[in-house]
Amino acid sequence: MPSEFDLIRRHFDRAATHCDLAVGDDAALMRPSPGMQLAVSTDMLVAGTHFFADADPALLGWKTLAVNVSDIAAMGALPRWALLAIALPAADEAWIAAFAGGLFDCARAYAVDLVGGDTTRGPLNMTVTIIGEVPAGQAITRDGGRAGDDLWVSGQPGQAALGLAALQGEASLNDEGRRRCLDALHRPQPRVALGLALRGVASAMLDVSDGLLGDLGHILERSHVGAIVDIAALPLAPLLATGAAATTARRCLLSGGDDYELLFSAPPARREVIQEMARRLALPLHRIGSLTGDTGVLLLRESDGTLHPGAAAGYDHFG
């Protein structure tokens, strides 16, 4: 049976492009670019909580890194380096090779160096610490939203949650809809290019991992504002085109997690800039409402103008 160090050498020791020393020593040596701040984030994925224990290891490898890249994108930063700590029930080389292949596919796609980490025997889980760079003072945080700002969301929130609902037998989707939703669930696409483009444009931002309304609540809390979300402005039609029931599609759009789209606020004067950004990046950007001065108050506006409270609560591991 291969040793821990054999597994690391065979599957996780790859050439690094932007660090002085990567895998194989007691620590990595990295040199931040002049004038940059470091953005650092950690996420843990646990079998049975974040993914099914029999998940495709290649897809799991992609997602393990992608969800961390998304955190860096949400700061308007450029992902650069990652460390992986992984616990494995057994030294299954075929599984590990497929997992590493998916992880390094994502690393290549977003120019991230894997520079270290740890392996051990235990219940299947993986933790990534990711480090990015952003020009000093230009990070986009959650606390910059102001009353009157527009609210925007990228891409197609709700697809990943619909995919999960289909796997759990809670939604019936047509073939194309099921394919698209499962792809969104298993291979999220971090919006790095959008995050970089939004420097100096967005006033507050985060990525949608625990549900659109729940994550919006974090912006409201940190920015000390409220919000009105226009239901008619949300991208519901593509979810209905999957064959999902209207109530299921709406629930997944508003409160489903695992989207890793960017939710951000920006002054109304930036609308044309953002619309041009959407064209240039070939990425839909939806203006879905606005921030208000009613601190902590989240309202949903139906197509007939009716206002009613929205629940600013997303997924909670201990809820």
Side-chain angles (χ1 to χ4, degrees):
M1 178 176 292
S3 71
E4 170 189 357
F5 305 105
D6 289 334
L7 291 175
I8 292 170
R9 279 192 294 270
R10 291 180 194 176
H11 302 292
F12 298 107
D13 189 357
R14 309 281 179 96
T17 58
H18 37 259
C19 69
D20 296 328
L21 181 64
V23 175
D25 217 304
D26 290 307
L29 298 176
M30 301 169 296
R31 192 177 306 175
S33 303
M36 293 288 191
Q37 287 180 298
L38 295 180
V40 183
S41 180
T42 297
D43 255 327
M44 178 185 295
L45 276 72
V46 178
T49 299
H50 301 98
F51 59 92
F52 297 115
D54 61 352
D56 180 312
L59 294 176
L60 184 58
W62 174 282
K63 188 168 184 176
T64 294
L65 184 56
V67 301
N68 285 272
V69 171
S70 182
D71 283 332
I72 298 299
M75 301 292 290
L78 183 68
R80 300 278 277 172
W81 307 283
L83 298 98
L84 169 69
I86 183 168
L88 299 163
D92 181 338
E93 286 231 50
W95 191 97
I96 295 168
F99 175 87
L103 184 136
F104 281 105
D105 282 347
C106 186
R108 282 189 294 272
Y110 294 96
V112 174
D113 280 345
L114 183 69
V115 297
D118 193 22
T119 59
T120 190
R121 182 187 295 273
L124 182 60
N125 71 86
M126 49 283 297
T127 300
V128 169
T129 296
I130 192 161
I131 305 167
E133 293 184 320
V134 61
Q138 292 188 33
I140 308 170
T141 61
R142 301 178 179 186
D143 61 4
R146 298 292 179 264
D149 282 355
D150 293 329
L151 267 178
W152 298 79
V153 69
S154 67
Q156 184 55 65
Q159 278 192 142
L162 262 183
L164 179 60
L167 289 178
Q168 295 174 326
E170 298 173 359
S172 178
L173 309 181
N174 56 45
D175 289 345
E176 175 59 19
R178 184 181 179 89
R179 184 197 64 76
R180 286 194 292 108
C181 290
L182 290 181
D183 192 50
L185 176 64
H186 295 313
R187 284 181 62 89
Q189 304 296 308
R191 304 303 188 184
V192 173
L194 175 61
L196 298 177
L198 284 169
R199 289 177 187 166
V201 176
S203 54
M205 185 161 67
L206 47 63
D207 67 334
V208 180
S209 57
D210 295 326
L212 181 64
L213 296 187
D215 284 321
L216 174 56
H218 298 312
I219 289 180
L220 303 191
E221 178 183 9
R222 294 298 301 271
S223 293
H224 306 290
V225 293
I228 295 175
V229 173
D230 288 304
I231 297 298
L234 292 167
L236 182 61
L239 299 184
L240 296 175
T242 67
T247 53
T248 302
R250 174 167 164 149
R251 172 178 58 81
C252 288
L253 178 54
L254 291 176
S255 58
D258 260 2
D259 291 312
Y260 303 101
E261 297 290 355
L262 295 184
L263 175 66
F264 61 96
S265 59
R270 295 294 196 166
R271 287 177 188 172
E272 288 189 12
V273 171
I274 294 169
Q275 289 162 353
E276 174 56 32
M277 197 180 296
R279 289 189 288 271
R280 176 166 51 84
L281 297 175
L283 175 65
L285 299 177
H286 312 280
R287 182 161 55 91
I288 62 169
S290 59
L291 300 182
T292 72
D294 298 322
T295 303
V297 177
L298 173 56
L299 298 174
L300 304 181
R301 182 158 48 206
E302 302 293 343
S303 55
D304 63 1
T306 304
L307 291 170
H308 59 89
Y315 180 79
D316 183 348
H317 291 287
F318 298 99

